[in-house]
Amino acid sequence: MKLTILGSGTSHGVPVVGCDCPVCHSEDPRNKRMRASLYIEGARGEKAIIDTGPEFRLQAIRAGIKKLDGIFLTHAHADHVHGLDDVRPLSRETPLPVYGNDETISEMKERFSYVFKETQRGGGKPRVIPTVAFEPVVLGELTFTPIPVKHGMLNILGWKIEEKTMDIMAVTAGAAVYLTDTSEIPAASRKIIGKPAILIIGALRIRPHETHFSFTQALNAALEIGAEKVWLTHICHDLLHGEIIEYCRNFMKERSLTGISAEPSFDGLEIIL
Ligand SMILES: [Zn+2]
Ligand SMILES: [Zn+2]
Ligand SMILES: [Zn+2]
């Protein structure tokens, strides 16, 4: 499968409106962080997305998204769902299932109430099927397993993505795990996560935050999980891309960890698994 980071930025995006800091003024495209989202393409043509933030339209155009088989939500904060209306052109032929936990799906229905009202008929509405995901969701040969995590007080979902391999000797190829906006991973969820090949994890900044992992907290969680390759996402505007690379390198050096690779992700990054 192929994973594309559509956005690697925190809730306000980078550059931040009205900000004069060096990161917000950087010309380096890796310092332009749209709201966090992941595009997943299976080897047999399955296409899915995790979260539809306010830049979904721009991200979909940039990544050349022509169809979706499913939308997976982590939670209903504005930076993760407010682009949902823009899936309209992709839901014309077939309505799109939108998966999330109970809280997310009910909040999404409230937020986009016009979509579910009979009063607005005809076009102008995305055709979506809100679905509470209690169990793994199968799309073709891809399996999306919900991972309950804490985002401050909120109960949100991370997603584990696995693809059946063409190799009949192996059951699945390595898994990818996407955990954004996380401040705590409950013990039961660690079991679901296992030891993925790829871990994409939210890491806001150096300073601690009530509802998000800091860089150090995210890297410590990643070490505990033991992922082969770690990509940070949902990043704010405190540091340049190169400075975060340096931060990750020093973190590993101080702990004498050589075999583990952790780096900040960036918009447009493609990960082949
Ligand atoms: Zn967020
Ligand atoms: Zn700034
Ligand atoms: Zn959030």
Side-chain angles (χ1 to χ4, degrees):
M1 67 178 138
K2 183 166 119 182
L3 309 174
T4 306
I5 299 279
L6 298 179
S8 58
T10 189
S11 56
H12 45 52
V14 180
V16 181
V17 174
C19 184
D20 285 325
C21 83
V23 179
C24 289
H25 276 263
S26 163
E27 293 292 325
D28 184 341
R30 294 171 308 170
N31 292 320
K32 300 196 186 303
R33 303 170 184 141
M34 288 200 262
R35 265 55 76 87
S37 174
L38 184 73
Y39 179 44
I40 303 109
E41 296 172 89
R44 293 153 196 86
E46 306 93 331
K47 317 273 184 202
I49 193 171
I50 301 181
D51 289 336
T52 51
E55 284 120 348
F56 168 76
R57 178 179 158 272
L58 299 173
Q59 292 169 329
I61 291 166
R62 188 200 254 193
I65 298 178
K66 292 194 171 67
K67 76 149 192 166
L68 283 176
D69 301 304
I71 297 168
F72 295 83
L73 298 179
T74 57
H75 62 304
H77 278 165
D79 55 322
H80 297 263
V81 297
H82 276 193
L84 188 65
D85 191 276
D86 286 331
V87 306
R88 269 185 287 157
L90 304 177
S91 67
R92 235 174 246 141
E93 310 266 305
T94 324
L96 275 172
V98 180
Y99 302 97
N101 68 12
D102 213 351
E103 280 171 71
T104 301
I105 293 298
S106 27
E107 207 171 321
M108 182 273 272
K109 282 197 222 159
E110 231 173 82
R111 203 82 57 77
F112 295 90
S113 59
Y114 62 92
V115 171
F116 308 100
K117 274 184 194 146
E118 278 301 302
T119 42
Q120 191 182 328
R121 285 178 177 274
K125 293 198 292 189
R127 296 170 72 212
V128 290
I129 309 163
T131 311
V132 177
F134 296 105
E135 288 183 334
V137 177
V138 176
L139 285 187
E141 303 284 296
L142 298 180
T143 303
F144 293 79
T145 306
I147 308 168
V149 292
K150 299 294 278 187
H151 177 21
M153 303 273 282
L154 267 188
N155 295 308
I156 70 161
L157 292 181
W159 291 96
K160 179 176 182 174
I161 312 137
E162 292 163 286
E163 182 170 46
K164 273 193 205 148
T165 160
M166 309 266 191
D167 176 1
I168 47 164
M169 298 303 282
V171 182
T172 53
V177 166
Y178 187 80
L179 297 179
T180 188
D181 294 52
T182 305
S183 56
E184 189 194 330
I185 305 169
S189 295
R190 293 235 185 249
K191 286 198 187 127
I192 305 171
I193 293 168
K195 198 173 179 301
I198 304 286
L199 173 66
I200 302 163
I201 187 164
L204 190 70
R205 60 188 190 195
I206 293 177
R207 284 174 296 131
H209 188 281
E210 231 173 282
T211 63
H212 292 270
F213 278 152
S214 65
F215 292 150
T216 299
Q217 286 169 326
L219 291 170
N220 276 330
L223 287 183
E224 249 181 70
I225 290 166
E228 288 162 33
K229 174 82 201 184
V230 181
W231 294 102
L232 306 182
T233 189
H234 210 285
I235 303 166
C236 83
H237 62 144
D238 284 2
L239 291 183
L240 294 160
H241 184 79
E243 291 172 330
I244 306 170
I245 292 179
E246 212 37 50
Y247 186 94
C248 293
R249 249 183 230 150
N250 289 336
F251 178 93
M252 296 300 170
K253 211 155 82 190
E254 280 164 19
R255 287 157 187 80
S256 309
L257 298 166
T258 45
I260 294 156
S261 159
E263 281 177 69
S265 70
F266 52 89
D267 295 18
L269 169 70
E270 293 181 350
I271 304 162
I272 308 286
L273 190 65

